[in-house]
Amino acid sequence: MRIAVCIKQVPDTEARLRLRQDGRWVDEEDLPFVINESDEYALEEALTLAEKTEGEVVVFSLGPARVKEALRKALALGAHRAVHLRDEAFDGGDALATARALHAALSRESFDLILTGSQSDDSGYGATGSVLAGFFGWPHAWLVMGIDLEDGGGSLRVVREMESGMNEIVRIALPAVMEVQAGINHPRYASLKGIMQAKRKPQEVLAAADLSLDPAAVGAAGSRLEVVSVAFPQSGDGAQMIEGDASTAAKTLVEKLRKEARVL
Amino acid sequence: MSQDVVFQDVVSQDLMSQDVMSKKIWIVLQHREGRLHRMSREAIAAGQRLAAALSGQAEAVLLGAGMESLAAEASGYALAAVRVIDDAKLASYTPGGYVSALAPALRAAAPDFVIFPHTYQSIDYFPRLAQEVDAGLLPEITGFDDATGELLFSRPVMGGKLVAQVRVKGEGTTLLSVQSGAFSADAAETGQAPVEALASEEITSDREILGVEEVGGDQIDLTKAEVIVALGRGVGGADKLGPSEELAKLLGAELGASRPVIDSGWLPRDRQIGSSGQTVAPKLYLALGISGAIQHLVGMKGSSTVVAVNKDPGAPIFTVADYGIVGDLHEVVPALTAALEELSD
Ligand SMILES: Cc1cc2nc3c(=O)[nH]c(=O)nc-3n(C[C@H](O)[C@H](O)[C@H](O)COP(=O)(O)OP(=O)(O)OC[C@H]3O[C@@H](n4cnc5c(N)ncnc54)[C@H](O)[C@@H]3O)c2cc1C
Ligand SMILES: Nc1ncnc2c1ncn2[C@@H]1O[C@H](COP(=O)(O)O)[C@@H](O)[C@H]1O
């Protein structure tokens, strides 16, 4: 089975964020980046499926130079090849523009299955995989919590998360795009051997021109959305912040929970 | 139905006397077991407000099979029309079915905005619909503002740590979804809307539904807990739960958790709180090392008193908390236990 995985590199959710000077996004200087959480699960799912079918896993990521770290990690985990969509023209794309570029790169080869994460931890559109499926004209499913091959590889039995603690089971014909939800599996750790091997695995870099893409159709220029500004959220009343060292703060809190909130 | 026809005439006369450039807003309503989904009513409220801001018209769209009573429910709102695609092939939701039903209608009517409730079902298909009809795609708005003379939408980014203001560029239709709780369902204006059939073409499905199953076999019901100690990724590992468990025991509390805690296997799935877990409303909710992403907040914001302990003063959990402590939970939790023990001595 030939499987592609789209991974996005995003700021570590643990990182303290600072705003960029123009106020339109976060300041990326000194910001730690990681593979998007649900994409790690997507990669693990791809590696497992490829092991079962003696298949190949190719990872694709669109983003600036720093993204090669994320791709190297994916190679260390077991992906066979990596493709880096790297061009200033790709920057600042919404889900439609990013999926358009990914589609151009992915359709140079033929895959049986494309896996993405369900949502990026930075832009959070929850949409890039579905749009990508649209460009291919393939079926898709969002929030996938289980994938099993059926019909000797002709279709998938897919578990989809629904609200209210239920899952839906559906059958979807291949080729397809599956948007994997965190928690579907237990992602492996990279082994020392994997890390060594990653250095020798092929990483291809593609620019818009390599894909015959009009720069006006991708990135910020090709997007229907434009982020005007970002800000830290304002709360309604906000929390009453309790100061002091741990012990003082704990005592004050207990006092307030008893006398003010009357919940103890 | 005769009354509906009368209203329909009134609406069409209104339309004729109106600016032909007036904006058209569609609201696609989700339903379950014959009733409108709560978030559909929030979407109606959002659509009515957007229509008012743009001096436009809001219309509702319903898809499904056997839609009479749902159409009647929707027609009780102040809308220019309720448009219905009633087809046996839409008896169960599939993205293929919904996209193939809506795409021709969208192309023909070319509304300026199409509003969806930001539910798991909508997110599964409306991005695909946007691609299909070449529309703009704006997921998860929490509000909009035209005070500057330009329409700007807000939506959470960075897992809710930041709010982005977004402008829609270009001509044509934009599909957007409205996050839970952003608009109040009670603010949806009632009225009487005419019901009309919406023409569709061949409806095709792209998946076969095999069934549903329960996720974790809800052994633990957190919905009735009076006190919940909820753990987030900040707890740092399954081997670090001890002090929080001790605190929970002292408080007579149940343990709850955010999704990553469950996904990492630190606690079982039936402890998850949030949009894909349980919805709780205890007297006291202690959020320890939880950042406060919307998918978590929707599951706990009904709590009476919320305490948040987080080492990041910018964590969005503090925007919904009543009391906040900025600090390391590994210090604060034992200190809380000590303070409570002192009390009972
Ligand atoms: C479709 C969908 C459904 C989802 N459903 C759910 C759901 O049902 N429930 C849910 O919870 N999430 C859900 N999520 C995930 C959600 O978006 C967030 O990723 C998740 O809630 C984050 O969990 P967290 O706050 O524990 O982790 P993080 O966001 O990583 O936050 C950890 C926090 O701990 C703090 N911290 C770290 N160390 C310490 C310390 N020593 N002391 C004090 N504080 C510390 C950090 O400052 C940070 O704020 C869903 C996501 C999607 C896309
Ligand atoms: N720049 C990118 N490069 C590779 N994959 C991406 C990129 N952006 C989004 N994706 C994929 O699409 C998924 C959903 O992202 P989003 O639509 O931004 O929430 C992610 O989890 C990734 O799998």
Side-chain angles (χ1 to χ4, degrees), chain A residues 13-14 37 118-119 142-143 161 181, chain B residues 120 231-234 257-261 272-277 289-293 295-296 309-312 315 327-330:
Chain A
T13 56
E14 284 276 304
E37 187 176 12
S118 52
Q119 186 156 330
W142 188 68
L143 235 48
E161 191 170 278
Q181 168 70 316
Chain B
Y120 290 11
L231 308 179
R233 188 174 358 229
S258 69
R259 179 164 196 134
V261 169
Q272 182 173 316
I273 292 166
S275 61
S276 32
I290 293 178
S291 64
Q295 295 88 356
H296 187 78
V309 180
N310 198 301
K311 65 176 186 190
D312 176 5
D328 184 347
L329 70 92
H330 300 301

mmCIF file of all heavy atoms in Angstrom, chain A residues 13-14 37 118-119 142-143 161 181, chain B residues 120 231-234 257-261 272-277 289-293 295-296 309-312 315 327-330, ligand 1:
data_model
loop_
_atom_site.group_PDB
_atom_site.id
_atom_site.type_symbol
_atom_site.label_atom_id
_atom_site.label_comp_id
_atom_site.label_asym_id
_atom_site.label_seq_id
_atom_site.Cartn_x
_atom_site.Cartn_y
_atom_site.Cartn_z
ATOM 1 N N THR A 13 2.745 23.366 21.937
ATOM 2 C CA THR A 13 1.619 23.912 22.707
ATOM 3 C C THR A 13 2.069 24.396 24.087
ATOM 4 O O THR A 13 1.380 25.170 24.728
ATOM 5 C CB THR A 13 0.483 22.876 22.889
ATOM 6 O OG1 THR A 13 1.026 21.709 23.493
ATOM 7 C CG2 THR A 13 -0.146 22.510 21.563
ATOM 8 N N GLU A 14 3.209 23.925 24.552
ATOM 9 C CA GLU A 14 3.731 24.347 25.861
ATOM 10 C C GLU A 14 4.385 25.730 25.802
ATOM 11 O O GLU A 14 4.651 26.338 26.837
ATOM 12 C CB GLU A 14 4.813 23.350 26.324
ATOM 13 C CG GLU A 14 4.259 22.046 26.832
ATOM 14 C CD GLU A 14 3.849 22.159 28.300
ATOM 15 O OE1 GLU A 14 4.688 22.533 29.129
ATOM 16 O OE2 GLU A 14 2.674 21.872 28.585
ATOM 17 N N GLU A 37 0.081 17.681 16.816
ATOM 18 C CA GLU A 37 -0.260 16.495 17.608
ATOM 19 C C GLU A 37 -1.024 15.423 16.817
ATOM 20 O O GLU A 37 -0.605 14.259 16.783
ATOM 21 C CB GLU A 37 -1.070 16.917 18.838
ATOM 22 C CG GLU A 37 -1.305 15.761 19.792
ATOM 23 C CD GLU A 37 -2.018 16.192 21.072
ATOM 24 O OE1 GLU A 37 -2.537 17.330 21.132
ATOM 25 O OE2 GLU A 37 -2.047 15.369 21.999
ATOM 26 N N SER A 118 -6.472 15.744 12.140
ATOM 27 C CA SER A 118 -7.842 16.264 12.086
ATOM 28 C C SER A 118 -7.861 17.779 12.218
ATOM 29 O O SER A 118 -8.770 18.437 11.729
ATOM 30 C CB SER A 118 -8.697 15.646 13.180
ATOM 31 O OG SER A 118 -8.051 15.783 14.419
ATOM 32 N N GLN A 119 -6.855 18.341 12.869
ATOM 33 C CA GLN A 119 -6.864 19.786 13.084
ATOM 34 C C GLN A 119 -5.461 20.242 13.439
ATOM 35 O O GLN A 119 -4.770 19.573 14.205
ATOM 36 C CB GLN A 119 -7.830 20.113 14.226
ATOM 37 C CG GLN A 119 -8.041 21.580 14.441
ATOM 38 C CD GLN A 119 -9.372 21.874 15.120
ATOM 39 O OE1 GLN A 119 -10.349 21.147 14.964
ATOM 40 N NE2 GLN A 119 -9.422 22.938 15.872
ATOM 41 N N TRP A 142 -13.491 12.830 8.578
ATOM 42 C CA TRP A 142 -12.848 13.676 9.576
ATOM 43 C C TRP A 142 -12.994 13.025 10.942
ATOM 44 O O TRP A 142 -14.011 12.389 11.217
ATOM 45 C CB TRP A 142 -13.512 15.064 9.566
ATOM 46 C CG TRP A 142 -12.818 16.088 10.422
ATOM 47 C CD1 TRP A 142 -11.595 16.635 10.210
ATOM 48 C CD2 TRP A 142 -13.331 16.694 11.615
ATOM 49 N NE1 TRP A 142 -11.310 17.546 11.208
ATOM 50 C CE2 TRP A 142 -12.346 17.608 12.073
ATOM 51 C CE3 TRP A 142 -14.526 16.563 12.335
ATOM 52 C CZ2 TRP A 142 -12.523 18.381 13.225
ATOM 53 C CZ3 TRP A 142 -14.697 17.331 13.472
ATOM 54 C CH2 TRP A 142 -13.703 18.227 13.908
ATOM 55 N N LEU A 143 -12.007 13.189 11.780
ATOM 56 C CA LEU A 143 -12.042 12.694 13.168
ATOM 57 C C LEU A 143 -12.038 11.163 13.226
ATOM 58 O O LEU A 143 -12.867 10.541 13.887
ATOM 59 C CB LEU A 143 -13.296 13.240 13.868
ATOM 60 C CG LEU A 143 -13.076 13.998 15.174
ATOM 61 C CD1 LEU A 143 -11.975 15.031 15.026
ATOM 62 C CD2 LEU A 143 -14.347 14.655 15.650
ATOM 63 N N GLU A 161 -15.256 9.600 15.180
ATOM 64 C CA GLU A 161 -15.761 10.121 16.455
ATOM 65 C C GLU A 161 -16.959 11.038 16.216
ATOM 66 O O GLU A 161 -16.965 11.841 15.290
ATOM 67 C CB GLU A 161 -14.638 10.895 17.138
ATOM 68 C CG GLU A 161 -14.907 11.261 18.554
ATOM 69 C CD GLU A 161 -13.653 11.802 19.217
ATOM 70 O OE1 GLU A 161 -12.826 10.989 19.649
ATOM 71 O OE2 GLU A 161 -13.498 13.023 19.277
ATOM 72 N N GLN A 181 -7.739 11.536 14.204
ATOM 73 C CA GLN A 181 -7.909 12.220 15.484
ATOM 74 C C GLN A 181 -6.876 11.697 16.488
ATOM 75 O O GLN A 181 -6.529 10.510 16.473
ATOM 76 C CB GLN A 181 -9.340 11.982 15.980
ATOM 77 C CG GLN A 181 -9.626 12.381 17.417
ATOM 78 C CD GLN A 181 -9.619 13.885 17.650
ATOM 79 O OE1 GLN A 181 -8.741 14.599 17.160
ATOM 80 N NE2 GLN A 181 -10.567 14.375 18.409
ATOM 81 N N TYR B 120 -19.366 18.436 14.863
ATOM 82 C CA TYR B 120 -18.526 17.432 14.201
ATOM 83 C C TYR B 120 -19.099 17.088 12.824
ATOM 84 O O TYR B 120 -18.357 16.796 11.897
ATOM 85 C CB TYR B 120 -18.421 16.162 15.047
ATOM 86 C CG TYR B 120 -17.608 16.293 16.315
ATOM 87 C CD1 TYR B 120 -17.199 17.535 16.798
ATOM 88 C CD2 TYR B 120 -17.232 15.162 17.037
ATOM 89 C CE1 TYR B 120 -16.457 17.643 17.960
ATOM 90 C CE2 TYR B 120 -16.489 15.253 18.201
ATOM 91 C CZ TYR B 120 -16.103 16.496 18.664
ATOM 92 O OH TYR B 120 -15.372 16.580 19.814
ATOM 93 N N LEU B 231 -7.485 16.946 35.460
ATOM 94 C CA LEU B 231 -6.056 16.980 35.181
ATOM 95 C C LEU B 231 -5.798 17.193 33.697
ATOM 96 O O LEU B 231 -6.459 16.587 32.854
ATOM 97 C CB LEU B 231 -5.411 15.659 35.622
ATOM 98 C CG LEU B 231 -5.723 15.253 37.073
ATOM 99 C CD1 LEU B 231 -5.073 13.917 37.404
ATOM 100 C CD2 LEU B 231 -5.246 16.323 38.036
ATOM 101 N N GLY B 232 -4.802 18.020 33.404
ATOM 102 C CA GLY B 232 -4.423 18.270 32.020
ATOM 103 C C GLY B 232 -3.026 17.763 31.740
ATOM 104 O O GLY B 232 -2.360 17.191 32.617
ATOM 105 N N ARG B 233 -2.573 18.024 30.527
ATOM 106 C CA ARG B 233 -1.259 17.563 30.109
ATOM 107 C C ARG B 233 -0.157 18.086 31.043
ATOM 108 O O ARG B 233 0.878 17.456 31.208
ATOM 109 C CB ARG B 233 -0.979 18.017 28.676
ATOM 110 C CG ARG B 233 0.279 17.410 28.156
ATOM 111 C CD ARG B 233 0.634 17.658 26.698
ATOM 112 N NE ARG B 233 -0.265 18.422 25.894
ATOM 113 C CZ ARG B 233 -0.690 18.045 24.674
ATOM 114 N NH1 ARG B 233 -0.285 16.901 24.167
ATOM 115 N NH2 ARG B 233 -1.485 18.817 23.979
ATOM 116 N N GLY B 234 -0.410 19.243 31.662
ATOM 117 C CA GLY B 234 0.564 19.841 32.563
ATOM 118 C C GLY B 234 0.912 18.968 33.745
ATOM 119 O O GLY B 234 1.921 19.197 34.419
ATOM 120 N N ALA B 257 -10.414 14.613 33.268
ATOM 121 C CA ALA B 257 -9.186 14.898 32.535
ATOM 122 C C ALA B 257 -9.468 15.547 31.193
ATOM 123 O O ALA B 257 -10.563 15.432 30.642
ATOM 124 C CB ALA B 257 -8.385 13.615 32.315
ATOM 125 N N SER B 258 -8.449 16.221 30.678
ATOM 126 C CA SER B 258 -8.507 16.726 29.315
ATOM 127 C C SER B 258 -8.102 15.594 28.377
ATOM 128 O O SER B 258 -7.568 14.567 28.804
ATOM 129 C CB SER B 258 -7.566 17.911 29.139
ATOM 130 O OG SER B 258 -6.228 17.453 29.219
ATOM 131 N N ARG B 259 -8.333 15.804 27.113
ATOM 132 C CA ARG B 259 -8.112 14.755 26.123
ATOM 133 C C ARG B 259 -6.686 14.190 26.084
ATOM 134 O O ARG B 259 -6.507 12.962 26.028
ATOM 135 C CB ARG B 259 -8.527 15.283 24.752
ATOM 136 C CG ARG B 259 -8.323 14.277 23.672
ATOM 137 C CD ARG B 259 -9.061 14.604 22.396
ATOM 138 N NE ARG B 259 -9.064 13.366 21.654
ATOM 139 C CZ ARG B 259 -10.098 12.854 21.049
ATOM 140 N NH1 ARG B 259 -11.246 13.487 21.073
ATOM 141 N NH2 ARG B 259 -10.021 11.709 20.421
ATOM 142 N N PRO B 260 -5.645 15.047 26.077
ATOM 143 C CA PRO B 260 -4.292 14.473 25.968
ATOM 144 C C PRO B 260 -3.951 13.502 27.100
ATOM 145 O O PRO B 260 -3.187 12.560 26.900
ATOM 146 C CB PRO B 260 -3.380 15.711 26.025
ATOM 147 C CG PRO B 260 -4.230 16.850 25.594
ATOM 148 C CD PRO B 260 -5.608 16.527 26.053
ATOM 149 N N VAL B 261 -4.516 13.725 28.285
ATOM 150 C CA VAL B 261 -4.280 12.837 29.427
ATOM 151 C C VAL B 261 -4.830 11.445 29.124
ATOM 152 O O VAL B 261 -4.223 10.420 29.435
ATOM 153 C CB VAL B 261 -4.930 13.438 30.696
ATOM 154 C CG1 VAL B 261 -4.956 12.436 31.835
ATOM 155 C CG2 VAL B 261 -4.199 14.718 31.101
ATOM 156 N N GLN B 272 -12.763 11.527 30.395
ATOM 157 C CA GLN B 272 -12.552 12.693 29.529
ATOM 158 C C GLN B 272 -13.717 13.684 29.610
ATOM 159 O O GLN B 272 -14.878 13.304 29.531
ATOM 160 C CB GLN B 272 -12.372 12.250 28.080
ATOM 161 C CG GLN B 272 -12.094 13.416 27.125
ATOM 162 C CD GLN B 272 -11.746 12.935 25.728
ATOM 163 O OE1 GLN B 272 -10.978 11.994 25.561
ATOM 164 N NE2 GLN B 272 -12.316 13.575 24.728
ATOM 165 N N ILE B 273 -13.352 14.942 29.745
ATOM 166 C CA ILE B 273 -14.345 16.012 29.779
ATOM 167 C C ILE B 273 -14.155 16.890 28.549
ATOM 168 O O ILE B 273 -13.024 17.235 28.212
ATOM 169 C CB ILE B 273 -14.188 16.825 31.082
ATOM 170 C CG1 ILE B 273 -14.596 15.951 32.276
ATOM 171 C CG2 ILE B 273 -15.019 18.103 31.039
ATOM 172 C CD1 ILE B 273 -14.177 16.494 33.611
ATOM 173 N N GLY B 274 -15.269 17.206 27.869
ATOM 174 C CA GLY B 274 -15.153 18.065 26.696
ATOM 175 C C GLY B 274 -16.078 17.637 25.588
ATOM 176 O O GLY B 274 -16.936 16.773 25.779
ATOM 177 N N SER B 275 -15.857 18.212 24.399
ATOM 178 C CA SER B 275 -16.805 18.005 23.307
ATOM 179 C C SER B 275 -16.903 16.553 22.887
ATOM 180 O O SER B 275 -17.947 16.106 22.440
ATOM 181 C CB SER B 275 -16.449 18.883 22.110
ATOM 182 O OG SER B 275 -15.178 18.557 21.620
ATOM 183 N N SER B 276 -15.817 15.780 23.042
ATOM 184 C CA SER B 276 -15.963 14.357 22.731
ATOM 185 C C SER B 276 -15.927 13.508 23.993
ATOM 186 O O SER B 276 -15.744 12.303 23.921
ATOM 187 C CB SER B 276 -14.931 13.896 21.699
ATOM 188 O OG SER B 276 -13.735 14.597 21.813
ATOM 189 N N GLY B 277 -16.101 14.123 25.135
ATOM 190 C CA GLY B 277 -16.194 13.385 26.386
ATOM 191 C C GLY B 277 -17.473 13.762 27.102
ATOM 192 O O GLY B 277 -18.495 13.995 26.459
ATOM 193 N N GLY B 289 -3.320 22.220 35.338
ATOM 194 C CA GLY B 289 -2.479 22.002 34.161
ATOM 195 C C GLY B 289 -3.280 21.799 32.892
ATOM 196 O O GLY B 289 -2.904 21.024 32.014
ATOM 197 N N ILE B 290 -4.413 22.499 32.805
ATOM 198 C CA ILE B 290 -5.270 22.457 31.612
ATOM 199 C C ILE B 290 -5.224 23.844 30.972
ATOM 200 O O ILE B 290 -5.438 24.843 31.656
ATOM 201 C CB ILE B 290 -6.717 22.081 31.987
ATOM 202 C CG1 ILE B 290 -6.761 20.634 32.490
ATOM 203 C CG2 ILE B 290 -7.671 22.304 30.815
ATOM 204 C CD1 ILE B 290 -8.132 20.161 32.928
ATOM 205 N N SER B 291 -4.952 23.902 29.648
ATOM 206 C CA SER B 291 -4.785 25.212 29.016
ATOM 207 C C SER B 291 -6.118 25.924 28.789
ATOM 208 O O SER B 291 -6.195 27.143 28.857
ATOM 209 C CB SER B 291 -4.036 25.073 27.689
ATOM 210 O OG SER B 291 -4.794 24.315 26.773
ATOM 211 N N GLY B 292 -7.176 25.151 28.505
ATOM 212 C CA GLY B 292 -8.480 25.785 28.291
ATOM 213 C C GLY B 292 -8.858 25.926 26.829
ATOM 214 O O GLY B 292 -9.418 26.941 26.414
ATOM 215 N N ALA B 293 -8.572 24.886 26.029
ATOM 216 C CA ALA B 293 -9.020 24.875 24.626
ATOM 217 C C ALA B 293 -10.543 24.769 24.611
ATOM 218 O O ALA B 293 -11.139 24.172 25.509
ATOM 219 C CB ALA B 293 -8.406 23.688 23.891
ATOM 220 N N GLN B 295 -12.587 22.964 23.043
ATOM 221 C CA GLN B 295 -13.171 21.618 23.104
ATOM 222 C C GLN B 295 -13.216 21.100 24.536
ATOM 223 O O GLN B 295 -14.000 20.226 24.862
ATOM 224 C CB GLN B 295 -12.394 20.625 22.235
ATOM 225 C CG GLN B 295 -12.449 20.902 20.758
ATOM 226 C CD GLN B 295 -11.361 21.833 20.293
ATOM 227 O OE1 GLN B 295 -10.585 22.354 21.102
ATOM 228 N NE2 GLN B 295 -11.289 22.079 19.000
ATOM 229 N N HIS B 296 -12.349 21.626 25.394
ATOM 230 C CA HIS B 296 -12.434 21.269 26.813
ATOM 231 C C HIS B 296 -13.483 22.145 27.504
ATOM 232 O O HIS B 296 -14.307 21.637 28.266
ATOM 233 C CB HIS B 296 -11.072 21.411 27.503
ATOM 234 C CG HIS B 296 -11.098 20.895 28.911
ATOM 235 N ND1 HIS B 296 -11.055 19.555 29.216
ATOM 236 C CD2 HIS B 296 -11.234 21.544 30.094
ATOM 237 C CE1 HIS B 296 -11.142 19.398 30.532
ATOM 238 N NE2 HIS B 296 -11.247 20.591 31.085
ATOM 239 N N VAL B 309 -5.284 26.175 38.065
ATOM 240 C CA VAL B 309 -3.875 26.256 38.444
ATOM 241 C C VAL B 309 -3.071 25.988 37.183
ATOM 242 O O VAL B 309 -3.219 24.932 36.558
ATOM 243 C CB VAL B 309 -3.507 25.216 39.534
ATOM 244 C CG1 VAL B 309 -2.035 25.330 39.907
ATOM 245 C CG2 VAL B 309 -4.389 25.389 40.761
ATOM 246 N N ASN B 310 -2.266 26.973 36.790
ATOM 247 C CA ASN B 310 -1.506 26.845 35.549
ATOM 248 C C ASN B 310 -0.258 27.696 35.649
ATOM 249 O O ASN B 310 -0.299 28.793 36.200
ATOM 250 C CB ASN B 310 -2.368 27.290 34.358
ATOM 251 C CG ASN B 310 -1.829 26.795 33.047
ATOM 252 O OD1 ASN B 310 -0.692 27.091 32.679
ATOM 253 N ND2 ASN B 310 -2.632 26.036 32.320
ATOM 254 N N LYS B 311 0.835 27.194 35.118
ATOM 255 C CA LYS B 311 2.070 27.974 35.244
ATOM 256 C C LYS B 311 2.152 29.111 34.221
ATOM 257 O O LYS B 311 2.984 29.986 34.345
ATOM 258 C CB LYS B 311 3.297 27.059 35.146
ATOM 259 C CG LYS B 311 3.465 26.398 33.800
ATOM 260 C CD LYS B 311 4.749 25.584 33.751
ATOM 261 C CE LYS B 311 4.948 25.077 32.338
ATOM 262 N NZ LYS B 311 6.024 24.096 32.224
ATOM 263 N N ASP B 312 1.232 29.082 33.239
ATOM 264 C CA ASP B 312 1.226 30.121 32.202
ATOM 265 C C ASP B 312 0.120 31.140 32.502
ATOM 266 O O ASP B 312 -1.064 30.821 32.393
ATOM 267 C CB ASP B 312 0.994 29.458 30.838
ATOM 268 C CG ASP B 312 0.881 30.466 29.708
ATOM 269 O OD1 ASP B 312 1.071 31.673 29.943
ATOM 270 O OD2 ASP B 312 0.599 30.023 28.573
ATOM 271 N N ALA B 315 -2.734 31.437 29.982
ATOM 272 C CA ALA B 315 -3.561 30.284 29.602
ATOM 273 C C ALA B 315 -5.035 30.683 29.560
ATOM 274 O O ALA B 315 -5.540 31.323 30.481
ATOM 275 C CB ALA B 315 -3.348 29.140 30.601
ATOM 276 N N GLY B 327 1.153 29.069 38.849
ATOM 277 C CA GLY B 327 2.231 28.367 39.528
ATOM 278 C C GLY B 327 2.336 26.933 39.071
ATOM 279 O O GLY B 327 1.535 26.471 38.240
ATOM 280 N N ASP B 328 3.324 26.259 39.626
ATOM 281 C CA ASP B 328 3.571 24.853 39.308
ATOM 282 C C ASP B 328 2.602 23.991 40.108
ATOM 283 O O ASP B 328 2.607 24.025 41.335
ATOM 284 C CB ASP B 328 5.033 24.522 39.662
ATOM 285 C CG ASP B 328 5.401 23.103 39.270
ATOM 286 O OD1 ASP B 328 4.488 22.297 38.967
ATOM 287 O OD2 ASP B 328 6.609 22.787 39.271
ATOM 288 N N LEU B 329 1.798 23.220 39.415
ATOM 289 C CA LEU B 329 0.795 22.421 40.121
ATOM 290 C C LEU B 329 1.433 21.395 41.056
ATOM 291 O O LEU B 329 0.814 20.979 42.034
ATOM 292 C CB LEU B 329 -0.160 21.758 39.124
ATOM 293 C CG LEU B 329 0.357 20.635 38.238
ATOM 294 C CD1 LEU B 329 0.136 19.271 38.872
ATOM 295 C CD2 LEU B 329 -0.363 20.681 36.909
ATOM 296 N N HIS B 330 2.679 21.025 40.752
ATOM 297 C CA HIS B 330 3.343 20.049 41.626
ATOM 298 C C HIS B 330 3.673 20.653 42.982
ATOM 299 O O HIS B 330 3.915 19.937 43.942
ATOM 300 C CB HIS B 330 4.595 19.494 40.949
ATOM 301 C CG HIS B 330 4.279 18.803 39.655
ATOM 302 N ND1 HIS B 330 3.424 17.726 39.594
ATOM 303 C CD2 HIS B 330 4.639 19.059 38.380
ATOM 304 C CE1 HIS B 330 3.292 17.344 38.330
ATOM 305 N NE2 HIS B 330 4.025 18.142 37.571
HETATM 306 C C1 LIG C 1 -12.464 17.536 17.390
HETATM 307 C C2 LIG C 1 -11.713 17.692 18.651
HETATM 308 C C3 LIG C 1 -12.282 17.223 19.814
HETATM 309 C C4 LIG C 1 -11.636 17.400 21.029
HETATM 310 N N1 LIG C 1 -12.256 16.964 22.165
HETATM 311 C C5 LIG C 1 -11.690 17.244 23.357
HETATM 312 C C6 LIG C 1 -12.346 16.893 24.578
HETATM 313 O O1 LIG C 1 -13.426 16.293 24.595
HETATM 314 N N2 LIG C 1 -11.747 17.222 25.740
HETATM 315 C C7 LIG C 1 -10.545 17.899 25.794
HETATM 316 O O2 LIG C 1 -10.062 18.191 26.902
HETATM 317 N N3 LIG C 1 -9.896 18.207 24.655
HETATM 318 C C8 LIG C 1 -10.437 17.903 23.449
HETATM 319 N N4 LIG C 1 -9.753 18.220 22.304
HETATM 320 C C9 LIG C 1 -8.355 18.709 22.404
HETATM 321 C C10 LIG C 1 -8.258 20.178 22.713
HETATM 322 O O3 LIG C 1 -8.285 20.909 21.506
HETATM 323 C C11 LIG C 1 -6.920 20.487 23.413
HETATM 324 O O4 LIG C 1 -5.859 20.003 22.632
HETATM 325 C C12 LIG C 1 -6.840 19.869 24.797
HETATM 326 O O5 LIG C 1 -7.992 20.184 25.556
HETATM 327 C C13 LIG C 1 -5.606 20.371 25.517
HETATM 328 O O6 LIG C 1 -5.443 19.682 26.733
HETATM 329 P P1 LIG C 1 -4.560 20.294 27.893
HETATM 330 O O7 LIG C 1 -5.096 21.621 28.279
HETATM 331 O O8 LIG C 1 -4.472 19.266 28.958
HETATM 332 O O9 LIG C 1 -3.110 20.390 27.219
HETATM 333 P P2 LIG C 1 -2.274 21.639 26.721
HETATM 334 O O10 LIG C 1 -3.076 22.504 25.842
HETATM 335 O O11 LIG C 1 -0.997 21.113 26.254
HETATM 336 O O12 LIG C 1 -2.061 22.482 28.062
HETATM 337 C C14 LIG C 1 -1.256 22.063 29.140
HETATM 338 C C15 LIG C 1 -1.264 23.208 30.139
HETATM 339 O O13 LIG C 1 -0.569 22.823 31.310
HETATM 340 C C16 LIG C 1 0.210 23.915 31.776
HETATM 341 N N5 LIG C 1 1.297 23.348 32.581
HETATM 342 C C17 LIG C 1 2.347 22.609 32.145
HETATM 343 N N6 LIG C 1 3.101 22.209 33.187
HETATM 344 C C18 LIG C 1 2.507 22.717 34.301
HETATM 345 C C19 LIG C 1 2.816 22.665 35.688
HETATM 346 N N7 LIG C 1 3.878 21.974 36.149
HETATM 347 N N8 LIG C 1 2.011 23.311 36.553
HETATM 348 C C20 LIG C 1 0.928 24.006 36.118
HETATM 349 N N9 LIG C 1 0.590 24.089 34.824
HETATM 350 C C21 LIG C 1 1.367 23.444 33.923
HETATM 351 C C22 LIG C 1 0.652 24.625 30.529
HETATM 352 O O14 LIG C 1 0.953 25.989 30.815
HETATM 353 C C23 LIG C 1 -0.573 24.467 29.629
HETATM 354 O O15 LIG C 1 -1.470 25.561 29.780
HETATM 355 C C24 LIG C 1 -10.369 18.033 21.069
HETATM 356 C C25 LIG C 1 -9.786 18.479 19.890
HETATM 357 C C26 LIG C 1 -10.437 18.308 18.680
HETATM 358 C C27 LIG C 1 -9.795 18.804 17.437
#
